[in-house]
């Protein structure tokens, strides 16, 4: 007899159906798992056998073959334990094989028969919902699975309770949908004294989803400004929150089925490897740029990152996704992020202060800034200098305007963009391209003339020219006007100072 149980293989954010086929046939006792399993899947034999022994069941002295179909698709992860165990129990006649055909099963087994969490349950639930099937998953992840619309979820604490439920001897309670986490409050903009230019650039970046680079000496407030950014970003929409949660589910970070409406904020250390930043590794997992999807990726001390690691971000910043190529798989993760970077002007950090600057100035600044490639800088919309704040400024009372007031303006500007791009795929001005860019961001005659003159003088690339149009569109949205004028183009160009090339 051959028993069949459905499960899934994860390829990026895609859950591809896998059929677990189990045959118990006469022959020498042997338990084999075939179908390109990795080491974790191969070890499921021992976990399944121990879990069945904990229930008081012994494997029959026959040849047991488990095939994971399609056989040419690599299988990774411990979530195959539960479907393998269910297929084996069905082949042994312990449970109804036909009934299992109505479910997709995922979950890892403990040696005592408990069904323990495994990454990617939300993706499996969405796949089951699309296939009009139910889902069998660990009890601890039932609330996570319930976010996938109305999919029937059987959240099993252990194999014994699951078998009793399937036989009708004891019904498992239906899991409740997970909670929506309240965002943790971050620093308020009224903590930043002075730095009006930098705060204005931060507001523009938040309103349009633009990339921002802050350059200034140590202690000028660059990291504090970046930490204030989440407080002036509008919350994720329900659809965006689900999209972000799918990435977190694959990474195993969705604890207790709780999702958040706060935009992700990731700040990796400058020692991060290319796989840590963009994704990959032996078992392909999303990197920091994907974990920051629809949120903020903050890179402090930008020149201290390895140059190949920084340059690996060039494609994600342009396309909004990461493609991880392997010999046996090609995986894509979403990576629509807003890059916020901070750096010192030189290694000592005091280029503009003759009393503190090192003896190699200004040559040290040229060498230090040259660690960042020109194409990488070209993908950053706003460049702003953050000057040191004097002691007199620090003694002043906090500014009257804080994050709440800036958030109101940013939310209004984004609402204008959402209404304008209703028929477009763009979420913010930073994503405008092609005909939509020409239709919505073209400046008036005076603005076009100024932009053409600046493009010639500053030798702007086609990418820089396009990004200036997007920034000018955002500045006009913050001003509450529909037409992009000369004043908006002028302000956008003021953030394009070529301070980085020495």
């Amino acid at each position: 007899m051959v028993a069949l149980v459905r499960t899934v293989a994860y390829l990026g954010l895609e859950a591809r159906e896998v059929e677990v086929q189990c045959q118990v046939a006469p022959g020498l006792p042997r338990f084999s798992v075939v179908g390109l399993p990795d080491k974790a899947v191969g070890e499921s034999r021992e976990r399944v056998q121990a879990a069945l022994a904990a229930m008081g069941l012994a494997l029959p002295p026959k040849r047991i073959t488990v095939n994971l179909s399609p056989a040419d698709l690599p299988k990774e992860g411990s979530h195959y334990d539960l479907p393998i165990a269910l297929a084996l129990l069905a082949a042994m006649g312990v449970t109804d094989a036909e009934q299992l055909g109505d479910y997709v099963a995922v979950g890892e087994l403990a040696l005592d028969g408990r069904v323990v969490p495994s990454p990617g349950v939300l993706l499996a639930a969405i796949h089951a919902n699309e296939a009009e099937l139910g889902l069998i998953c660990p009890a601890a992840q039932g609330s996570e699975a319930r976010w996938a619309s109305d999919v029937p979820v059987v959240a099993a604490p252990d194999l014994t309770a699951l078998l009793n439920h399937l036989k009708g001897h004891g019904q498992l309670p239906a899991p409740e949908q997970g909670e929506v986490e309240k965002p943790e409050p971050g620093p308020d903009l009224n903590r930043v004294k002075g730095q009006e230019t930098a705060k204005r650039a931060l507001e523009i970046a938040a309103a349009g989803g633009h990339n921002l680079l802050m350059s200034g000496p140590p202690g000028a407030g660059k990291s504090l400004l970046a930490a204030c950014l989440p407080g002036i970003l509008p919350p994720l929409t329900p659809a965006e929150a689900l999209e972000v949660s799918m990435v977190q589910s694959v990474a195993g970070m969705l604890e207790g089925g709780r999702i958040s409406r706060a935009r992700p904020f990731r700040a990796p250390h400058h020692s991060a490897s290319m796989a840590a930043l963009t994704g990959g590794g032996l078992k392909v997992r999303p990197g920091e740029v994907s974990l920051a999807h629809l949120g903020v990726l903050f890179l402090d001390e930008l020149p201290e990152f390895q140059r190949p690691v920084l340059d690996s971000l060039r494609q994600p910043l342009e396309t909004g996704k990461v493609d991880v190529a392997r010999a046996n798989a090609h995986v894509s993760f979403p990576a629509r992020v807003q890059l916020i970077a901070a750096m010192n002007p030189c290694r000592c950090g005091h280029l503009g202060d003759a009393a503190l600057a090192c003896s190699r100035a200004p040559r040290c600044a040229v060498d230090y800034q040259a660690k960042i490639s020109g194409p990488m800088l070209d993908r950053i919309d706003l460049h702003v200098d953050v000057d040191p704040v004097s002691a007199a400024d620090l003694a002043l009372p906090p500014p009257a305007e804080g994050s709440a007031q800036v958030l109101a303006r940013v939310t209004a500007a984004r609402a204008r963009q959402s209404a304008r791009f209703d028929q477009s795929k763009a979420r913010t001005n930073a994503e405008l391209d092609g005909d939509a860019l020409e239709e919505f961001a073209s400046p008036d005659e005076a603005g076009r003339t100024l932009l053409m003159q600046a493009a010639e003088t500053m030798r702007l690339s086609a990418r820089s020219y396009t990004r200036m149009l997007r920034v000018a569109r955002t500045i006009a949205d913050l001003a509450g006007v529909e037409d992009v004028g000369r004043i908006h183009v002028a302000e956008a160009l003021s953030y394009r100072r070529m301070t980085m090339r020495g």
Side-chain angles (χ1 to χ4, degrees):
M1 175 184 177
V2 177
L4 308 177
V5 175
R6 291 185 176 92
T7 186
V8 292
Y10 303 120
L11 294 178
L13 292 193
E14 177 190 0
R16 189 172 298 181
E17 183 170 315
V18 171
E19 192 175 76
V20 180
Q21 307 164 354
C22 181
Q23 182 187 57
V24 178
L28 292 175
R30 185 179 179 184
F31 189 174
S32 302
V33 179
V34 297
L36 283 185
D38 73 343
K39 188 171 179 60
V41 182
E43 291 174 347
S44 66
R45 298 190 303 265
E46 309 303 325
R47 291 191 292 272
V48 168
Q49 189 167 354
L52 295 184
M55 297 171 57
L57 294 175
L59 294 182
K62 295 183 179 182
R63 181 181 180 87
I64 301 171
T65 304
V66 174
N67 179 44
L68 306 177
S69 176
D72 61 345
L73 178 68
K75 318 298 187 308
E76 297 179 350
S78 59
H79 66 278
Y80 291 96
D81 290 2
L82 183 57
I84 289 175
L86 290 175
L88 178 55
L89 289 170
M92 293 166 55
V94 177
T95 188
D96 185 3
E98 188 175 345
Q99 184 183 14
L100 292 173
D102 298 330
Y103 292 95
V104 171
V106 291
E108 180 182 332
L109 288 178
L111 299 184
D112 57 1
R114 287 177 295 115
V115 184
V116 296
S118 61
V121 165
L122 180 58
L123 270 70
I126 292 173
H127 170 81
N129 185 56
E130 293 172 350
E132 298 183 351
L133 297 170
L135 178 73
I136 300 174
C137 69
Q141 294 177 298
S143 55
E144 174 183 338
R146 284 292 294 117
W147 285 108
S149 189
D150 298 324
V151 56
V153 177
V154 177
D158 53 63
L159 267 180
T160 302
L162 176 58
L163 289 179
N164 288 335
H165 174 87
L166 293 174
K167 292 180 177 181
H169 297 162
Q171 291 297 305
L172 290 171
E176 298 292 332
Q177 200 171 64
E179 299 177 354
V180 178
E181 286 185 338
K182 293 182 179 180
E184 296 182 4
D188 196 284
L189 267 179
N190 59 18
R191 285 181 52 186
V192 181
K193 298 182 179 181
Q195 308 297 6
E196 297 305 320
T197 301
K199 286 193 282 189
R200 171 63 175 173
L202 196 71
E203 180 178 342
I204 295 170
H210 302 291
N211 302 328
L212 169 66
L213 172 62
M214 296 178 285
S215 177
K222 303 183 296 295
S223 298
L224 177 58
L225 282 163
C228 290
L229 180 57
I232 62 174
L233 288 173
L236 296 166
T237 65
E240 289 175 336
L242 185 62
E243 197 173 332
V244 170
S245 297
M246 289 168 65
V247 180
Q248 296 173 343
S249 178
V250 171
M253 297 171 53
L254 208 59
E255 298 181 0
R258 296 184 298 272
I259 70 172
S260 175
R261 295 282 300 276
R263 295 187 180 272
F265 184 89
R266 306 291 297 185
H269 191 261
H270 57 74
S271 61
S273 66
M274 188 180 300
L277 201 61
T278 60
L282 183 61
K283 296 181 180 179
V284 181
R285 290 290 183 266
E288 292 292 331
V289 70
S290 295
L291 294 173
H293 179 56
L294 299 180
V296 177
L297 178 65
F298 176 48
L299 302 183
D300 200 6
E301 307 296 345
L302 188 66
E304 299 297 337
F305 283 82
Q306 299 178 43
R307 184 162 179 167
V309 173
L310 279 184
D311 284 343
S312 69
L313 291 176
R314 283 155 56 175
Q315 184 217 15
L317 289 177
E318 200 71 24
T319 63
K321 66 176 183 176
V322 172
D323 294 315
V324 181
R326 292 290 183 270
N328 57 359
H330 187 91
V331 178
S332 293
F333 292 108
R336 181 64 67 184
V337 301
Q338 183 176 356
L339 174 65
I340 305 296
M343 62 174 287
N344 297 328
C346 60
R347 183 168 293 279
C348 71
H350 300 286
L351 180 66
D353 191 334
L356 297 175
C358 67
S359 60
R360 294 189 64 243
R363 181 63 192 173
C364 65
V366 177
D367 295 341
Y368 190 64
Q369 296 171 15
K371 293 182 178 181
I372 311 169
S373 67
M376 181 66 187
L377 288 172
D378 210 28
R379 287 165 167 80
I380 300 178
D381 307 334
L382 304 165
H383 298 185
V384 63
D385 291 330
V386 182
D387 297 322
V389 182
S390 67
D393 287 336
L394 292 175
L396 294 174
E401 185 175 74
S403 294
Q405 291 78 14
V406 178
L407 174 60
R409 292 196 296 269
V410 169
T411 302
R414 290 223 177 185
R416 293 187 186 95
Q417 295 167 52
S418 297
R420 186 185 300 126
F421 307 148
D422 190 40
Q423 303 301 321
S424 171
K425 294 181 180 180
R427 290 185 176 98
T428 61
N429 287 330
E431 300 177 33
L432 273 180
D433 205 359
D435 294 339
L437 178 69
E438 185 68 26
E439 180 181 355
F440 300 124
S442 292
D444 60 18
E445 190 59 36
R448 186 181 297 275
T449 300
L450 175 61
L451 186 57
M452 294 301 295
Q453 292 172 348
E456 184 68 25
T457 303
M458 301 171 69
R459 304 183 67 83
L460 297 180
S461 66
R463 181 184 291 113
S464 297
Y465 180 91
T466 298
R467 290 181 179 271
M468 287 302 94
L469 286 177
R470 295 168 179 165
V471 173
R473 175 67 270 172
T474 298
I475 295 171
D477 286 336
L478 283 169
V481 298
E482 193 59 35
D483 296 328
V484 179
R486 179 184 174 90
I487 188 173
H488 310 125
V489 173
E491 184 176 1
L493 289 168
S494 72
Y495 298 112
R496 199 67 188 182
R497 294 189 299 272
M498 304 307 289
T499 56
M500 301 299 303
R501 309 319 299 170

